[in-house]
Coordinates of all heavy atoms in Angstrom, one line a residue:
M193 N -0.4 0.1 32.3 CA -1.0 -1.1 31.8 C -0.1 -1.7 30.8 O 0.5 -1.0 29.9 CB -2.4 -0.8 31.1 CG -3.0 -2.0 30.4 SD -4.6 -1.8 29.6 CE -4.6 -0.2 28.9
I194 N 0.1 -3.0 30.9 CA 1.0 -3.8 29.9 C 0.2 -4.0 28.6 O -0.9 -4.5 28.7 CB 1.4 -5.1 30.6 CG1 2.2 -4.9 31.8 CG2 2.2 -5.9 29.6 CD1 2.4 -6.1 32.7
T195 N 0.8 -3.6 27.5 CA 0.1 -3.8 26.2 C 0.8 -4.8 25.4 O 0.2 -5.4 24.5 CB 0.0 -2.5 25.5 OG1 1.4 -1.9 25.3 CG2 -0.8 -1.5 26.2
H196 N 2.1 -5.0 25.6 CA 2.9 -6.0 24.8 C 3.9 -6.7 25.7 O 4.3 -6.2 26.7 CB 3.6 -5.3 23.6 CG 2.6 -4.7 22.6 ND1 2.0 -3.5 22.8 CD2 2.2 -5.2 21.5 CE1 1.2 -3.3 21.8 NE2 1.3 -4.3 20.9
I197 N 4.5 -7.8 25.2 CA 5.6 -8.5 25.8 C 6.7 -8.5 24.8 O 6.5 -8.8 23.6 CB 5.2 -9.9 26.2 CG1 4.0 -10.0 27.1 CG2 6.4 -10.7 26.7 CD1 4.2 -9.5 28.5
C198 N 7.9 -8.2 25.3 CA 9.1 -8.2 24.4 C 9.3 -9.7 23.9 O 9.4 -10.5 24.8 CB 10.3 -7.6 25.1 SG 11.8 -7.8 24.0
D199 N 9.4 -9.9 22.6 CA 9.5 -11.2 22.1 C 11.0 -11.7 22.3 O 11.2 -12.9 22.2 CB 9.2 -11.3 20.6 CG 7.7 -11.2 20.4 OD1 6.9 -11.8 21.1 OD2 7.3 -10.4 19.5
R200 N 11.9 -10.9 22.7 CA 13.3 -11.3 22.8 C 13.6 -11.6 24.3 O 14.2 -12.7 24.6 CB 14.2 -10.2 22.3 CG 15.7 -10.6 22.4 CD 16.5 -9.5 21.6 NE 17.9 -9.8 21.7 CZ 18.7 -9.4 22.6 NH1 18.3 -8.6 23.6 NH2 20.0 -9.7 22.6
C201 N 13.2 -10.7 25.2 CA 13.6 -10.9 26.6 C 12.4 -11.3 27.5 O 12.6 -11.8 28.6 CB 14.2 -9.7 27.2 SG 13.1 -8.3 27.4
G202 N 11.2 -11.2 27.0 CA 10.0 -11.6 27.7 C 9.5 -10.6 28.7 O 8.5 -10.8 29.4
R203 N 10.1 -9.4 28.8 CA 9.7 -8.4 29.7 C 8.4 -7.7 29.2 O 8.3 -7.5 28.0 CB 10.8 -7.3 29.9 CG 11.9 -7.8 30.7 CD 12.9 -6.7 31.2 NE 14.1 -7.3 31.6 CZ 15.3 -7.1 30.9 NH1 15.3 -6.3 29.9 NH2 16.4 -7.6 31.3
P204 N 7.5 -7.3 30.1 CA 6.4 -6.5 29.7 C 6.7 -5.1 29.2 O 7.7 -4.5 29.6 CB 5.5 -6.5 30.9 CG 6.4 -6.7 32.1 CD 7.6 -7.5 31.6
I205 N 6.0 -4.7 28.2 CA 6.1 -3.3 27.7 C 4.9 -2.5 28.1 O 3.8 -2.9 27.6 CB 6.4 -3.3 26.2 CG1 7.6 -4.2 25.8 CG2 6.5 -1.9 25.7 CD1 7.8 -4.4 24.3
E206 N 5.0 -1.5 28.9 CA 3.9 -0.7 29.4 C 3.4 0.2 28.3 O 4.1 0.6 27.4 CB 4.3 0.2 30.6 CG 4.9 -0.6 31.8 CD 3.8 -1.1 32.7 OE1 2.7 -0.6 32.7 OE2 4.1 -2.1 33.4
Q207 N 2.1 0.4 28.4 CA 1.5 1.4 27.4 C 2.2 2.7 27.4 O 2.5 3.2 28.5 CB 0.0 1.6 27.7 CG -0.7 2.4 26.7 CD -2.2 2.5 27.0 OE1 -2.6 2.3 28.2 NE2 -3.0 2.7 26.0
G208 N 2.5 3.2 26.3 CA 3.2 4.5 26.2 C 4.7 4.4 26.2 O 5.4 5.4 25.9
K209 N 5.3 3.3 26.6 CA 6.7 3.1 26.6 C 7.2 2.8 25.1 O 6.4 2.3 24.3 CB 7.2 1.9 27.5 CG 6.9 2.2 28.9 CD 7.9 3.1 29.5 CE 7.6 3.3 31.0 NZ 8.5 4.3 31.6
L210 N 8.5 3.1 24.9 CA 9.0 2.8 23.6 C 8.9 1.3 23.2 O 9.3 0.5 24.1 CB 10.5 3.2 23.5 CG 10.8 4.6 22.9 CD1 12.3 4.8 23.0 CD2 10.3 4.7 21.5
R211 N 8.4 1.0 22.1 CA 8.3 -0.3 21.6 C 8.7 -0.3 20.2 O 8.5 0.6 19.4 CB 6.9 -0.8 21.8 CG 6.6 -2.2 21.2 CD 5.2 -2.7 21.5 NE 4.2 -1.8 20.8 CZ 3.6 -2.1 19.6 NH1 4.0 -3.1 18.9 NH2 2.7 -1.3 19.1
Y212 N 9.4 -1.4 19.8 CA 9.9 -1.5 18.4 C 9.3 -2.8 17.8 O 9.0 -3.8 18.5 CB 11.4 -1.6 18.4 CG 12.1 -0.3 18.8 CD1 12.3 -0.1 20.2 CD2 12.4 0.7 18.0 CE1 12.8 1.0 20.7 CE2 13.0 1.9 18.4 CZ 13.2 2.0 19.8 OH 13.7 3.2 20.2
I213 N 9.1 -2.8 16.5 CA 8.7 -3.9 15.8 C 9.8 -4.3 14.8 O 10.2 -3.5 14.0 CB 7.4 -3.7 15.0 CG1 6.3 -3.3 16.0 CG2 7.0 -4.9 14.1 CD1 5.0 -2.9 15.3
A214 N 10.2 -5.6 14.9 CA 11.2 -6.1 13.9 C 10.5 -7.0 12.9 O 9.9 -8.0 13.4 CB 12.3 -6.9 14.7
K215 N 10.5 -6.7 11.7 CA 9.9 -7.5 10.6 C 11.1 -8.1 9.8 O 11.9 -7.4 9.3 CB 9.1 -6.6 9.7 CG 7.8 -6.1 10.3 CD 7.0 -5.3 9.3 CE 5.7 -4.8 10.0 NZ 4.9 -4.1 9.0
I216 N 11.1 -9.4 9.8 CA 12.1 -10.2 9.1 C 11.5 -11.0 8.0 O 10.5 -11.7 8.2 CB 12.9 -11.1 10.1 CG1 13.5 -10.2 11.2 CG2 14.0 -11.9 9.3 CD1 14.0 -11.0 12.3
Q217 N 12.0 -10.9 6.8 CA 11.6 -11.7 5.7 C 12.8 -12.6 5.2 O 13.9 -12.0 5.0 CB 11.1 -10.9 4.5 CG 9.8 -10.1 4.8 CD 9.3 -9.3 3.6 OE1 10.1 -9.1 2.7 NE2 8.1 -9.0 3.7
V218 N 12.6 -13.8 5.1 CA 13.6 -14.7 4.6 C 13.1 -15.4 3.3 O 12.1 -16.1 3.4 CB 14.0 -15.8 5.6 CG1 15.1 -16.7 5.1 CG2 14.4 -15.1 6.9
F219 N 13.7 -15.1 2.2 CA 13.1 -15.7 0.9 C 14.3 -16.2 0.0 O 15.4 -15.7 0.1 CB 12.2 -14.7 0.2 CG 12.8 -13.4 0.0 CD1 13.5 -13.1 -1.2 CD2 12.7 -12.3 0.9 CE1 14.1 -11.8 -1.4 CE2 13.3 -11.1 0.7 CZ 13.9 -10.8 -0.5
A220 N 13.9 -17.1 -0.8 CA 14.9 -17.7 -1.7 C 15.4 -16.6 -2.7 O 14.5 -15.9 -3.3 CB 14.3 -18.9 -2.5
A221 N 16.7 -16.5 -2.9 CA 17.2 -15.5 -3.8 C 17.3 -16.2 -5.2 O 17.6 -17.4 -5.3 CB 18.6 -15.1 -3.3
A222 N 17.0 -15.4 -6.2 CA 17.1 -16.0 -7.5 C 18.0 -15.1 -8.4 O 17.9 -13.9 -8.5 CB 15.7 -16.0 -8.1
D223 N 19.0 -15.8 -9.0 CA 19.9 -15.1 -9.9 C 19.2 -15.1 -11.3 O 18.4 -16.0 -11.6 CB 21.2 -15.9 -10.0 CG 22.0 -15.8 -8.7 OD1 21.9 -14.8 -8.0 OD2 22.7 -16.8 -8.4
P224 N 19.6 -14.2 -12.1 CA 19.0 -14.2 -13.5 C 19.3 -15.5 -14.2 O 20.3 -16.1 -14.1 CB 19.7 -13.0 -14.2 CG 20.4 -12.2 -13.1 CD 20.6 -13.1 -11.9
L225 N 18.3 -16.0 -14.9 CA 18.4 -17.2 -15.6 C 19.2 -17.0 -16.9 O 19.0 -16.0 -17.6 CB 17.0 -17.7 -16.0 CG 16.2 -18.4 -14.9 CD1 14.8 -18.8 -15.4 CD2 16.9 -19.6 -14.3
E226 N 20.0 -18.0 -17.2 CA 20.7 -18.0 -18.5 C 20.3 -19.3 -19.2 O 20.7 -20.3 -18.8 CB 22.3 -17.9 -18.3 CG 22.8 -16.6 -18.0 CD 24.3 -16.5 -17.9 OE1 24.9 -17.2 -18.8 OE2 24.8 -15.8 -17.1
I227 N 19.5 -19.1 -20.2 CA 19.0 -20.3 -20.9 C 19.8 -20.4 -22.2 O 19.8 -19.5 -23.0 CB 17.5 -20.2 -21.2 CG1 16.8 -20.0 -19.8 CG2 17.0 -21.4 -21.9 CD1 15.3 -19.7 -19.9
T228 N 20.4 -21.6 -22.3 CA 21.2 -21.9 -23.5 C 20.4 -22.7 -24.5 O 19.3 -23.3 -24.2 CB 22.5 -22.6 -23.2 OG1 22.1 -23.9 -22.7 CG2 23.3 -21.9 -22.2
L229 N 20.9 -22.8 -25.7 CA 20.2 -23.7 -26.7 C 20.2 -25.1 -26.2 O 19.2 -25.8 -26.4 CB 21.0 -23.6 -28.1 CG 20.4 -24.4 -29.2 CD1 19.0 -24.0 -29.5 CD2 21.3 -24.3 -30.5
E230 N 21.3 -25.5 -25.6 CA 21.4 -26.9 -25.0 C 20.2 -27.1 -24.0 O 19.6 -28.2 -24.0 CB 22.7 -27.0 -24.4 CG 23.0 -28.5 -23.9 CD 24.4 -28.6 -23.3 OE1 25.4 -28.5 -24.1 OE2 24.5 -28.7 -22.1
D231 N 20.0 -26.1 -23.2 CA 18.9 -26.2 -22.2 C 17.5 -26.4 -22.9 O 16.7 -27.2 -22.5 CB 18.8 -24.9 -21.3 CG 20.0 -24.8 -20.4 OD1 20.5 -25.8 -20.0 OD2 20.3 -23.6 -20.1
L232 N 17.3 -25.7 -24.0 CA 16.1 -25.7 -24.7 C 15.9 -27.1 -25.4 O 14.8 -27.6 -25.6 CB 15.9 -24.6 -25.7 CG 15.9 -23.2 -25.1 CD1 15.9 -22.1 -26.2 CD2 14.6 -23.0 -24.3
L233 N 17.0 -27.7 -25.8 CA 16.9 -29.0 -26.6 C 16.8 -30.2 -25.6 O 16.5 -31.3 -26.1 CB 18.1 -29.1 -27.5 CG 18.2 -28.0 -28.6 CD1 19.4 -28.2 -29.4 CD2 16.9 -28.1 -29.5
R234 N 17.2 -30.0 -24.4 CA 17.2 -31.1 -23.4 C 15.8 -31.5 -23.1 O 14.9 -30.7 -22.9 CB 17.9 -30.6 -22.2 CG 18.3 -31.7 -21.2 CD 19.4 -31.1 -20.2 NE 19.0 -29.8 -19.7 CZ 18.6 -29.6 -18.4 NH1 18.5 -30.6 -17.6 NH2 18.2 -28.4 -18.0
D235 N 15.6 -32.8 -22.9 CA 14.3 -33.3 -22.5 C 14.2 -33.3 -20.9 O 14.9 -34.0 -20.2 CB 14.1 -34.8 -22.9 CG 12.8 -35.4 -22.5 OD1 11.9 -34.6 -22.1 OD2 12.6 -36.6 -22.7
T236 N 13.4 -32.3 -20.5 CA 13.4 -32.1 -19.0 C 12.2 -32.8 -18.3 O 12.0 -32.6 -17.2 CB 13.3 -30.6 -18.7 OG1 12.1 -30.1 -19.4 CG2 14.5 -29.8 -19.2
R237 N 11.5 -33.6 -19.1 CA 10.2 -34.2 -18.6 C 10.6 -35.1 -17.3 O 9.9 -35.0 -16.3 CB 9.6 -35.1 -19.7 CG 8.2 -35.4 -19.4 CD 7.5 -36.1 -20.5 NE 8.0 -35.6 -21.8 CZ 8.1 -36.2 -22.9 NH1 7.7 -37.5 -23.0 NH2 8.6 -35.7 -24.0
R238 N 11.6 -35.8 -17.4 CA 12.0 -36.7 -16.3 C 12.3 -35.9 -15.0 O 11.9 -36.2 -13.9 CB 13.1 -37.6 -16.7 CG 13.2 -38.9 -15.8 CD 14.3 -39.8 -16.2 NE 14.1 -40.4 -17.5 CZ 14.9 -41.1 -18.3 NH1 16.1 -41.3 -17.8 NH2 14.6 -41.6 -19.4
E239 N 13.1 -34.8 -15.3 CA 13.5 -34.0 -14.2 C 12.2 -33.3 -13.5 O 12.1 -33.2 -12.3 CB 14.4 -32.9 -14.7 CG 15.1 -32.1 -13.6 CD 16.1 -31.1 -14.2 OE1 16.6 -31.3 -15.3 OE2 16.4 -30.1 -13.5
I240 N 11.3 -32.8 -14.4 CA 10.1 -32.2 -13.8 C 9.3 -33.2 -13.1 O 8.7 -32.9 -12.0 CB 9.3 -31.5 -15.0 CG1 10.1 -30.3 -15.5 CG2 7.9 -31.2 -14.5 CD1 9.5 -29.7 -16.8
D241 N 9.1 -34.4 -13.6 CA 8.4 -35.5 -12.9 C 9.0 -35.8 -11.5 O 8.3 -35.9 -10.6 CB 8.4 -36.8 -13.7 CG 7.4 -36.6 -14.9 OD1 6.6 -35.7 -15.0 OD2 7.5 -37.5 -15.9
R242 N 10.3 -35.8 -11.5 CA 11.0 -36.0 -10.2 C 10.7 -34.9 -9.2 O 10.4 -35.2 -8.0 CB 12.5 -36.2 -10.5 CG 13.3 -36.6 -9.2 CD 14.8 -36.6 -9.5 NE 15.4 -35.4 -10.1 CZ 15.7 -34.3 -9.4 NH1 15.4 -34.3 -8.1 NH2 16.2 -33.3 -10.0
L243 N 10.8 -33.7 -9.7 CA 10.5 -32.5 -8.8 C 9.1 -32.5 -8.3 O 8.8 -32.3 -7.1 CB 10.8 -31.2 -9.5 CG 12.3 -30.9 -9.8 CD1 12.4 -29.7 -10.7 CD2 13.0 -30.6 -8.4
L244 N 8.1 -32.9 -9.2 CA 6.7 -32.9 -8.8 C 6.5 -34.0 -7.8 O 5.8 -33.8 -6.8 CB 5.8 -33.1 -10.0 CG 5.7 -31.9 -11.0 CD1 4.9 -32.3 -12.2 CD2 5.0 -30.8 -10.3
Q245 N 7.2 -35.1 -7.9 CA 7.1 -36.2 -7.0 C 7.6 -35.8 -5.6 O 7.0 -36.1 -4.6 CB 7.8 -37.4 -7.5 CG 7.5 -38.7 -6.7 CD 8.2 -39.9 -7.3 OE1 8.8 -39.9 -8.3 NE2 7.9 -41.1 -6.7
Q246 N 8.7 -35.1 -5.6 CA 9.3 -34.5 -4.4 C 8.3 -33.6 -3.7 O 8.1 -33.6 -2.5 CB 10.6 -33.8 -4.6 CG 11.8 -34.7 -4.8 CD 13.0 -33.9 -5.1 OE1 13.0 -32.7 -5.3 NE2 14.2 -34.6 -5.1
C247 N 7.6 -32.7 -4.5 CA 6.7 -31.8 -4.0 C 5.5 -32.5 -3.4 O 4.9 -32.0 -2.4 CB 6.2 -30.8 -5.0 SG 7.5 -29.6 -5.6
E248 N 5.1 -33.6 -4.0 CA 3.9 -34.3 -3.4 C 4.1 -34.9 -2.1 O 3.2 -35.1 -1.3 CB 3.5 -35.4 -4.4 CG 2.8 -34.9 -5.7 CD 2.5 -36.1 -6.6 OE1 2.8 -37.2 -6.3 OE2 2.1 -35.7 -7.8
E249 N 5.4 -35.1 -1.7 CA 5.7 -35.6 -0.4 C 5.8 -34.6 0.7 O 6.0 -34.9 1.8 CB 7.1 -36.4 -0.5 CG 7.1 -37.6 -1.4 CD 8.4 -38.1 -1.8 OE1 9.4 -37.6 -1.2 OE2 8.5 -39.0 -2.6
L250 N 5.7 -33.3 0.3 CA 5.7 -32.2 1.3 C 4.4 -31.6 1.4 O 3.6 -31.6 0.5 CB 6.8 -31.2 0.8 CG 8.2 -31.7 0.7 CD1 9.1 -30.6 0.0 CD2 8.8 -32.1 2.1
T251 N 4.1 -31.0 2.6 CA 2.9 -30.2 2.8 C 3.1 -28.8 2.1 O 4.2 -28.4 1.8 CB 2.6 -30.0 4.3 OG1 3.6 -29.2 4.8 CG2 2.5 -31.3 5.0
E252 N 1.9 -28.1 2.0 CA 2.0 -26.8 1.4 C 2.9 -25.9 2.3 O 3.6 -25.1 1.8 CB 0.5 -26.3 1.3 CG 0.5 -24.9 0.7 CD -1.0 -24.4 0.6 OE1 -1.9 -25.3 0.6 OE2 -1.2 -23.2 0.5
E253 N 2.7 -26.1 3.6 CA 3.5 -25.2 4.5 C 5.0 -25.5 4.4 O 5.8 -24.6 4.4 CB 3.1 -25.5 6.0 CG 3.8 -24.6 7.0 CD 3.3 -24.8 8.4 OE1 2.2 -25.3 8.6 OE2 4.1 -24.5 9.3
E254 N 5.4 -26.8 4.2 CA 6.8 -27.1 4.0 C 7.3 -26.5 2.7 O 8.5 -26.0 2.7 CB 7.0 -28.6 4.0 CG 6.8 -29.3 5.4 CD 6.8 -30.8 5.4 OE1 6.3 -31.4 4.4 OE2 7.2 -31.4 6.3
L255 N 6.5 -26.6 1.7 CA 7.0 -26.0 0.4 C 7.1 -24.5 0.5 O 8.1 -23.9 0.0 CB 5.9 -26.4 -0.7 CG 5.9 -27.8 -1.1 CD1 4.7 -28.1 -2.0 CD2 7.2 -28.1 -1.9
M256 N 6.2 -23.9 1.2 CA 6.2 -22.4 1.4 C 7.5 -22.0 2.2 O 8.1 -21.0 1.9 CB 4.9 -21.9 2.0 CG 4.7 -20.4 2.0 SD 4.6 -19.9 0.3 CE 4.8 -18.2 0.4
R257 N 7.8 -22.7 3.2 CA 8.9 -22.4 4.1 C 10.2 -22.4 3.3 O 11.2 -21.8 3.7 CB 9.0 -23.3 5.3 CG 7.9 -22.9 6.4 CD 8.1 -23.8 7.6 NE 9.1 -23.3 8.5 CZ 9.0 -22.3 9.4 NH1 7.9 -21.7 9.5 NH2 10.0 -22.0 10.1
D258 N 10.3 -23.2 2.3 CA 11.5 -23.3 1.5 C 11.7 -22.1 0.6 O 12.8 -21.8 0.1 CB 11.5 -24.5 0.6 CG 11.9 -25.8 1.3 OD1 12.3 -25.7 2.4 OD2 11.7 -26.9 0.7
V259 N 10.6 -21.3 0.4 CA 10.6 -20.2 -0.5 C 10.5 -18.8 0.2 O 11.3 -17.9 -0.1 CB 9.5 -20.3 -1.5 CG1 9.5 -19.1 -2.5 CG2 9.6 -21.6 -2.3
F260 N 9.6 -18.7 1.2 CA 9.4 -17.4 1.8 C 8.8 -17.6 3.2 O 7.9 -18.4 3.5 CB 8.3 -16.6 1.0 CG 8.0 -15.3 1.6 CD1 8.8 -14.2 1.3 CD2 6.9 -15.1 2.4 CE1 8.5 -13.0 1.9 CE2 6.6 -13.9 3.0 CZ 7.4 -12.8 2.7
V261 N 9.5 -16.9 4.2 CA 9.0 -17.0 5.6 C 9.2 -15.5 6.1 O 10.1 -14.8 5.8 CB 9.9 -17.9 6.4 CG1 9.4 -17.9 7.9 CG2 10.0 -19.3 5.9
K262 N 8.2 -15.1 6.9 CA 8.3 -13.8 7.5 C 8.0 -13.9 9.0 O 7.2 -14.7 9.4 CB 7.4 -12.8 6.8 CG 5.9 -12.9 7.0 CD 5.2 -11.8 6.3 CE 3.7 -12.0 6.4 NZ 3.0 -11.0 5.8
F263 N 8.7 -13.0 9.7 CA 8.5 -13.0 11.2 C 8.3 -11.5 11.6 O 8.7 -10.6 10.9 CB 9.8 -13.4 11.9 CG 10.3 -14.8 11.5 CD1 11.2 -15.0 10.5 CD2 9.8 -15.9 12.2 CE1 11.6 -16.3 10.2 CE2 10.2 -17.2 11.9 CZ 11.1 -17.4 10.9
E264 N 7.6 -11.4 12.7 CA 7.4 -10.0 13.2 C 7.5 -10.1 14.8 O 6.8 -11.0 15.4 CB 6.0 -9.5 12.8 CG 5.9 -8.0 13.2 CD 4.6 -7.4 12.6 OE1 4.4 -7.5 11.4 OE2 3.9 -6.6 13.4
F265 N 8.4 -9.3 15.3 CA 8.6 -9.4 16.8 C 8.5 -8.0 17.4 O 8.9 -7.0 16.8 CB 10.1 -9.8 17.1 CG 10.4 -11.2 16.5 CD1 11.2 -11.3 15.3 CD2 9.9 -12.3 17.0 CE1 11.5 -12.5 14.8 CE2 10.2 -13.6 16.5 CZ 11.0 -13.7 15.4
D266 N 7.9 -8.0 18.6 CA 7.9 -6.8 19.4 C 9.1 -6.8 20.2 O 9.5 -7.8 20.8 CB 6.7 -6.7 20.4 CG 5.4 -6.5 19.6 OD1 5.3 -5.7 18.7 OD2 4.4 -7.3 19.9
L267 N 9.8 -5.6 20.3 CA 11.0 -5.5 21.1 C 11.0 -4.3 22.0 O 10.4 -3.2 21.7 CB 12.3 -5.3 20.2 CG 12.6 -6.4 19.2 CD1 13.7 -6.0 18.2 CD2 12.9 -7.7 19.9
C268 N 11.5 -4.5 23.2 CA 11.6 -3.4 24.2 C 12.9 -2.5 23.7 O 13.6 -3.0 22.8 CB 11.8 -3.9 25.6 SG 13.4 -4.7 25.9
R269 N 13.1 -1.4 24.4 CA 14.2 -0.5 24.0 C 15.5 -1.2 24.1 O 16.4 -1.1 23.2 CB 14.1 0.8 24.9 CG 15.3 1.7 24.7 CD 15.1 2.4 23.4 NE 16.2 3.5 23.3 CZ 16.9 3.7 22.2 NH1 16.7 2.9 21.1 NH2 17.7 4.7 22.2
T270 N 15.7 -1.9 25.2 CA 17.0 -2.6 25.5 C 17.3 -3.6 24.4 O 18.4 -3.7 23.8 CB 17.0 -3.3 26.8 OG1 16.7 -2.3 27.8 CG2 18.3 -4.0 27.1
C271 N 16.3 -4.4 24.0 CA 16.5 -5.5 23.0 C 16.6 -4.9 21.6 O 17.3 -5.4 20.8 CB 15.3 -6.4 23.1 SG 15.4 -7.5 24.5
Q272 N 15.9 -3.7 21.4 CA 16.1 -3.1 20.1 C 17.6 -2.7 19.9 O 18.2 -2.9 18.8 CB 15.2 -1.8 20.0 CG 15.3 -1.1 18.6 CD 16.3 0.0 18.6 OE1 16.9 0.4 19.6 NE2 16.5 0.6 17.4
K273 N 18.2 -2.1 20.9 CA 19.6 -1.6 20.9 C 20.5 -2.8 20.6 O 21.4 -2.8 19.8 CB 20.0 -1.0 22.2 CG 19.5 0.4 22.4 CD 20.1 1.0 23.7 CE 19.7 2.4 24.0 NZ 20.1 2.8 25.3
A274 N 20.3 -3.9 21.3 CA 21.1 -5.1 21.2 C 20.9 -5.7 19.8 O 21.9 -6.1 19.1 CB 20.8 -6.1 22.2
Y275 N 19.7 -5.7 19.3 CA 19.3 -6.4 18.0 C 20.0 -5.6 16.9 O 20.6 -6.2 16.0 CB 17.8 -6.5 17.8 CG 17.5 -7.2 16.6 CD1 17.6 -8.6 16.5 CD2 17.1 -6.5 15.4 CE1 17.3 -9.3 15.3 CE2 16.8 -7.2 14.3 CZ 16.9 -8.6 14.2 OH 16.7 -9.3 13.1
V276 N 19.8 -4.3 16.8 CA 20.4 -3.5 15.7 C 21.9 -3.5 15.7 O 22.5 -3.3 14.7 CB 19.8 -2.1 15.6 CG1 18.3 -2.2 15.4 CG2 20.2 -1.3 16.8
T277 N 22.5 -3.7 16.9 CA 24.0 -3.7 17.0 C 24.5 -5.0 16.3 O 25.5 -5.0 15.7 CB 24.4 -3.7 18.4 OG1 23.9 -2.4 19.0 CG2 25.9 -3.7 18.6
D278 N 23.8 -6.1 16.5 CA 24.3 -7.4 16.0 C 23.1 -8.3 15.7 O 22.8 -9.3 16.4 CB 25.2 -8.1 17.1 CG 25.9 -9.3 16.6 OD1 25.8 -9.6 15.3 OD2 26.5 -10.0 17.4
P279 N 22.4 -8.0 14.6 CA 21.2 -8.8 14.3 C 21.3 -10.2 14.0 O 20.4 -11.0 14.1 CB 20.6 -8.0 13.1 CG 21.7 -7.3 12.5 CD 22.7 -7.0 13.6
L280 N 22.5 -10.7 13.6 CA 22.7 -12.0 13.2 C 23.4 -12.9 14.3 O 23.7 -14.1 14.1 CB 23.6 -12.2 11.9 CG 22.9 -11.6 10.7 CD1 23.8 -11.8 9.5 CD2 21.6 -12.3 10.4
S281 N 23.5 -12.3 15.5 CA 24.1 -13.1 16.6 C 23.1 -14.1 17.1 O 21.9 -13.9 17.0 CB 24.6 -12.2 17.7 OG 23.5 -11.9 18.5
A282 N 23.6 -15.2 17.6 CA 22.8 -16.3 18.1 C 21.9 -15.7 19.3 O 20.8 -16.1 19.4 CB 23.6 -17.4 18.6
A283 N 22.5 -14.8 20.1 CA 21.8 -14.3 21.2 C 20.6 -13.4 20.8 O 19.5 -13.4 21.4 CB 22.7 -13.5 22.1
S284 N 20.7 -12.8 19.7 CA 19.6 -11.9 19.2 C 18.4 -12.7 18.6 O 17.4 -12.1 18.5 CB 20.1 -10.9 18.1 OG 21.1 -10.0 18.7
T285 N 18.7 -13.9 18.3 CA 17.6 -14.6 17.6 C 16.8 -15.5 18.6 O 15.9 -16.1 18.3 CB 18.1 -15.5 16.5 OG1 19.1 -16.4 17.0 CG2 18.7 -14.7 15.4
R286 N 17.3 -15.6 19.9 CA 16.6 -16.4 20.9 C 15.3 -15.7 21.3 O 15.2 -14.5 21.4 CB 17.5 -16.6 22.1 CG 18.4 -17.8 21.7 CD 19.3 -18.1 23.0 NE 20.6 -18.5 22.5 CZ 21.7 -18.3 23.1 NH1 21.7 -17.6 24.2 NH2 22.8 -18.6 22.6
Ligands
ZN349 ZN1 13.3 -7.0 25.5

């Protein structure tokens, strides 16, 4: 009985056969903040207003995709081998 379909190659994965799950998280990296006295004395109101205006033009989903996205894929044995060998290749992400 087929229980899953490989998200990479589209082949069916039979019940009891080896199946892998690839979980991928892509999120904005943040470096430690360095706040100077000059930063604290600066009037940031205009900059904050501009950023809020930009945010209003985007949907909640668009805003979220800029910060954090996660994926989960079922992989067959063949695709697992190919994926872990070269996870960033264009062929692995199709
Ligand atoms: Zn596959």
Side-chain angles (χ1 to χ4, degrees):
M193 178 176 37
I194 297 168
T195 57
H196 294 83
I197 301 291
C198 176
D199 289 314
R200 186 171 177 268
C201 70
R203 289 193 197 111
I205 301 171
E206 301 276 339
Q207 186 175 24
K209 293 287 182 183
L210 260 179
R211 175 175 62 93
Y212 296 86
I213 297 173
K215 293 183 177 182
I216 301 169
Q217 294 183 340
V218 181
F219 53 91
D223 293 327
L225 286 177
E226 280 188 38
I227 300 172
T228 64
L229 179 61
E230 186 178 288
D231 292 328
L232 295 173
L233 297 175
R234 194 164 46 107
D235 181 10
T236 56
R237 199 170 327 149
R238 201 178 293 169
E239 189 176 340
I240 290 172
D241 287 344
R242 185 182 55 77
L243 287 171
L244 287 173
Q245 190 173 1
Q246 284 179 348
C247 289
E248 286 177 4
E249 296 167 5
L250 299 171
T251 66
E252 184 178 335
E253 185 179 335
E254 290 171 326
L255 289 168
M256 193 63 197
R257 286 184 78 84
D258 280 351
V259 179
F260 179 84
V261 182
K262 67 178 178 180
F263 302 95
E264 186 169 317
F265 303 107
D266 289 315
L267 298 175
C268 69
R269 174 71 172 137
T270 302
C271 289
Q272 182 269 353
K273 282 183 181 175
Y275 185 77
V276 298
T277 300
D278 189 8
L280 295 180
S281 81
S284 293
T285 57
R286 281 185 214 142

